[in-house]
Amino acid sequence: MTPDHLIEIADQFGTPTYVYDLDQIKVQYQTFKTAFPWPLLKICYAMKANYNPSVLKAFHKLGAGIDAVSPGDLHMATACGFYVKDIIYTANNITDAEMKEIAETGVLMNIGSLSRLEKYGRTYPGTRVCLRFNPDVVDGAHDKIKTGGDLTKFGILLEDADTAAAVTRRYDLKVTGLHEHTGSGLKKADSILKAMEQIFSVAVPGRFPDLEFLDFGGGFKVAYEPDEPDIDINILGRAVVDRFSGFCDRYGRKLGLWFEPGKYLTANAGTLLVEVNTIKRNRSRIICGTNSGFPQLIRPMFYDAWHTIDNISHPLGSPAVYDVCGNICETGDLFAAGRAIPEIRESDILAIRDAGAYCYAMGGTYNLRPMPAEVVVENGVPRLSRRRMTPQELVESICSESPDMV
Ligand code: LLP
């Protein structure tokens, strides 16, 4: 999408607005798929990254499955056309009530603790299940999104594999899959290869006789910063398939190779359009105030994440250094600090890039500001996917849920 195209979208749909390029998402999906040439490849899109209905429907059309993590995810995925058979449910500290709600839909449950496995087996003996292991490989773009090692709550420990197997035998559970997820934005390409070896070591022949697939989660890195290299997904894919194929030969059976990418598929295809309303010279700083804020895109504040910001209405202005802020009553409400950007004027439209994963999805309505609109672009044509609520509607929806207000 060109800057002019984005300006037209801002004119047509107002701001703040998220824009998702479905054409780009489709290319990313096909690139990922082609990189892993394995006949039993399954790509379960991690919908936590972006649950926009038009995005989900696009993945459904592409033939993806879904990695769901909450009853809401499951409802949303089925509402967008996914069949239960194509969804894996990665349960994390769920209640018995949630286990019941999910298990009764027939979705495959991915269980990451001995405690839950025991309760699941007792309640649903003889059913299928997937086991999540902690790969003990520590990697990820930020400490908060590393998923392996002692400091995380996820997965059964590798040394507990025998105990897990004993529980599954006691309840006649059919372990059809083994799973791991190392972290998000993996910095080292070989982390996934190391994690695979760990899962291979769990899948000793005879331990889980009903095994159909191994799932190596998501975490594929994308470039956010201007000179940050992208991973070479084709080189990685070949190395993965090579090792997987060797494992299957040793194991004696061709298993399914599953992944759950989120960021890799959607991050770079999203942009948040905001409008500048205030320029303030604060002695040594230039503050640029916009009409969105951290509840609408929290990654910079939460993970110190970098999102490139382009001044699409004045791209050739001479650069100055700005603190790009939001409209929320908190000092940390910044999209970027000390960032060189072509001269920003009041009323300019800024494009906050790479906002297609974990941006809208992690959003909230702090300060009672409604979330932005969402627009998708398909075959080059923009259309509204989800409208922006008015503040009045937001307040009405809150009041209608409060017995004290009705
Ligand atoms: N599978 C499992 C079990 C996961 O927990 C996750 C992400 C994924 C797959 C997808 O990972 P991805 O391919 O998107 O890296 N909010 C953070 C990322 C949190 C990731 C949580 N789990 C961020 O904005 O960077």
Side-chain angles (χ1 to χ4, degrees):
M1 269 178 295
T2 64
D4 286 351
H5 203 162
L6 288 170
I7 296 270
E8 277 168 31
I9 291 174
D11 285 346
Q12 189 180 347
F13 300 97
T15 59
T17 289
Y18 274 95
V19 185
Y20 308 126
D21 185 343
L22 294 186
D23 302 323
Q24 194 179 338
I25 288 178
K26 289 177 200 169
V27 170
Q28 281 298 102
Y29 182 84
Q30 295 302 352
T31 304
F32 189 90
K33 191 171 164 188
T34 315
F36 296 90
W38 184 254
L40 302 174
L41 176 73
K42 184 155 171 166
I43 304 169
C44 291
Y45 166 56
M47 66 179 284
K48 72 199 82 159
N50 186 333
Y51 60 81
N52 170 277
S54 312
V55 169
L56 286 175
K57 284 185 154 193
F59 279 118
H60 178 54
K61 264 203 207 150
L62 287 165
I66 284 288
D67 161 34
V69 293
S70 70
D73 269 8
L74 189 53
H75 287 301
M76 190 68 176
T78 50
C80 291
F82 290 91
Y83 299 112
V84 155
K85 70 172 177 52
D86 291 322
I87 303 175
I88 178 164
Y89 192 88
T90 295
N92 167 36
N93 295 340
I94 60 171
T95 61
D96 291 348
E98 183 173 322
M99 175 180 77
K100 191 164 185 294
E101 178 183 350
I102 300 303
E104 286 172 9
T105 65
V107 152
L108 180 65
M109 185 84 81
N110 182 21
I111 296 183
S113 75
L114 290 174
S115 154
R116 179 51 57 195
L117 183 62
E118 177 72 35
K119 291 180 218 168
Y120 182 87
R122 210 183 303 138
T123 321
Y124 302 103
T127 60
R128 294 175 323 139
V129 76
C130 176
L131 300 184
R132 176 177 187 169
F133 283 89
N134 179 333
D136 247 349
V137 176
V138 182
D139 195 356
H142 187 278
D143 279 349
K144 287 193 173 93
I145 51 178
K146 293 175 180 160
T147 328
D150 288 0
L151 296 180
T152 98
K153 60 181 176 168
F154 298 105
I156 298 169
L157 295 179
L158 296 168
E159 58 263 38
D160 287 336
D162 270 333
T163 314
V167 177
T168 62
R169 276 196 301 276
R170 187 170 338 125
Y171 297 112
D172 190 28
L173 293 174
K174 317 251 172 293
V175 179
T176 56
L178 300 178
H179 172 280
E180 70 80 26
H181 170 71
T182 303
S184 191
L186 299 174
K187 289 186 177 160
K188 294 180 235 126
D190 68 345
S191 290
I192 188 143
L193 301 175
K194 285 191 185 150
M196 287 175 76
E197 297 296 337
Q198 301 284 51
I199 295 301
F200 295 162
S201 73
V202 172
V204 291
R207 192 186 253 166
F208 301 112
D210 302 295
L211 214 50
E212 293 170 10
F213 68 89
L214 302 184
D215 182 336
F216 300 108
F220 301 90
K221 182 180 164 326
V222 299
Y224 283 93
E225 299 196 30
D227 296 321
E228 194 179 342
D230 254 326
I231 50 163
D232 189 326
I233 197 80
N234 292 313
I235 291 181
L236 180 61
R238 270 199 301 277
V240 163
V241 167
D242 204 47
R243 283 171 204 225
F244 194 67
S245 169
F247 165 75
C248 289
D249 287 347
R250 295 192 300 278
Y251 192 71
R253 209 144 41 85
K254 250 199 175 62
L255 297 180
L257 172 62
W258 289 25
F259 291 106
E260 301 162 349
K263 264 180 200 168
Y264 186 85
L265 300 179
T266 59
N268 297 152
T271 304
L272 174 62
L273 299 175
V274 301
E275 184 175 332
V276 177
N277 49 45
T278 311
I279 297 289
K280 178 189 278 187
R281 284 172 195 277
N282 238 7
R283 300 193 192 108
S284 62
R285 317 287 292 192
I286 312 177
I287 309 285
C288 160
T290 69
N291 65 345
S292 179
F294 78 83
Q296 306 187 348
L297 195 163
I298 202 169
R299 299 189 76 256
M301 184 161 169
F302 206 48
Y303 307 113
D304 293 322
W306 172 287
H307 284 263
T308 292
I309 301 179
D310 292 325
N311 183 357
I312 54 174
S313 23
H314 195 212
L316 300 178
S318 29
V321 174
Y322 296 92
D323 288 347
V324 182
C325 301
N327 52 7
I328 298 296
C329 291
E330 288 213 24
T331 306
D333 179 29
L334 272 89
F335 294 121
R339 184 75 64 85
I341 299 173
E343 185 201 5
I344 303 179
R345 308 155 307 180
E346 293 185 358
S347 301
D348 275 350
I349 301 292
L350 304 183
I352 307 182
R353 302 292 187 174
D354 307 313
Y358 305 105
C359 290
Y360 192 106
M362 290 179 71
T365 53
Y366 182 43
N367 282 192
L368 290 179
R369 291 193 182 275
M371 285 296 289
E374 293 181 290
V375 165
V376 291
V377 178
E378 192 164 25
N379 302 321
V381 181
R383 65 172 192 273
L384 184 66
S385 173
R386 186 169 171 194
R387 71 184 178 82
R388 195 182 305 108
M389 266 188 178
T390 64
Q392 180 77 23
E393 285 169 327
L394 175 62
V395 169
E396 278 166 11
S397 80
I398 295 166
C399 293
S400 70
E401 288 159 3
S402 168
D404 280 347
M405 296 298 289
V406 286

